[in-house]
């Protein structure tokens, strides 16, 4: 199973993502903002990153862009999990290096399917 970094400023969302994915056997590491997630990523790698967009200290798009600058995260799949649905936000996320998008609120099965598909491609 995969090690997944989940980043969201809402505690309930972090816990939900963690619970859903751990039930499927994944290891989930959670952070509440992009800055602490980026600090974590500078010394550890994961198989997949799932990030919200709107967070304090460093937003998700900035996190994606920063992760892509790290040699160890150049090809790590990154999914955005967010309430945002504006096409310009999706384009910004893609341009920064995000591989996919999951709309909140999400169905747990949809999250699992997105994670499974993304990991299978890598």
């Amino acid at each position: 199973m995969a090690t997944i970094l989940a980043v969201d400023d809402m505690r309930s969302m972090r816990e939900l993502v963690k619970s859903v994915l751990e039930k499927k056997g994944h290891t989930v590491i959670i952070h509440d903002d992009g800055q602490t997630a980026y600090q974590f990523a500078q010394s550890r790698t994961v198989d997949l990153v799932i990030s919200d967009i709107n967070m304090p200290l460093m937003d998700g798009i900035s996190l994606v862009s920063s992760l892509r600058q790290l040699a160890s995260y150049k090809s790590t799949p990154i999914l955005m999990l967010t309430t945002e649905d504006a096409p310009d936000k999706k384009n910004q996320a893609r341009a920064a290096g995000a591989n996919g998008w999951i709309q909140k609120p999400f169905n747990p099965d949809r999250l699992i399917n997105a994670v499974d598909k993304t990991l299978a491609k890598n």
Side-chain angles (χ1 to χ4, degrees), residues 28-40:
V28 181
I29 300 157
I30 55 175
H31 284 277
D32 61 359
D33 65 74
Q35 186 175 11
T36 59
Y38 180 69
Q39 290 168 347
F40 165 86

Side-chain angles (χ1 to χ4, degrees), residues 5-8 30-44 49 51 55 58 63 67 70 73:
L5 173 60
V7 190
D8 199 300
I30 55 175
H31 284 277
D32 61 359
D33 65 74
Q35 186 175 11
T36 59
Y38 180 69
Q39 290 168 347
F40 165 86
Q42 289 177 309
S43 62
R44 289 208 37 209
V49 177
S51 179
M55 299 181 291
M58 179 188 282
L63 173 61
L67 289 174
L70 299 174
Y73 280 83

Side-chain angles (χ1 to χ4, degrees), residues 7 14 20 34 44 60 67 82 93 95 97 105-106:
V7 190
R14 289 191 309 270
V20 167
R44 289 208 37 209
L67 289 174
T82 182
F106 66 90

Side-chain angles (χ1 to χ4, degrees), residues 14 17 21 23 26 33-34 36-37 61-62 67-68 75-76 83 85 88 100 102 108-109 122:
R14 289 191 309 270
V17 169
L21 295 176
K23 283 180 185 172
H26 299 292
D33 65 74
T36 59
I61 293 172
S62 297
L67 289 174
R68 292 297 187 217
S75 62
T76 302
T83 58
D85 65 352
D88 65 314
I102 304 167
D109 289 334
N122 209 25

Side-chain angles (χ1 to χ4, degrees), residues 11-13 17 21-22 24 29 48 53-54 59 63 67 69 71 77 79 85 87 98 100 110-111 116-117 120:
R11 181 185 176 112
S12 60
M13 187 58 60
V17 169
L21 295 176
E22 284 184 343
K24 288 296 185 178
I29 300 157
L48 172 70
I53 287 183
N54 298 311
D59 67 29
L63 173 61
L67 289 174
Q69 299 304 309
L79 295 174
D85 65 352
R110 188 164 176 221
L111 174 64
D116 288 348
K117 274 186 182 180

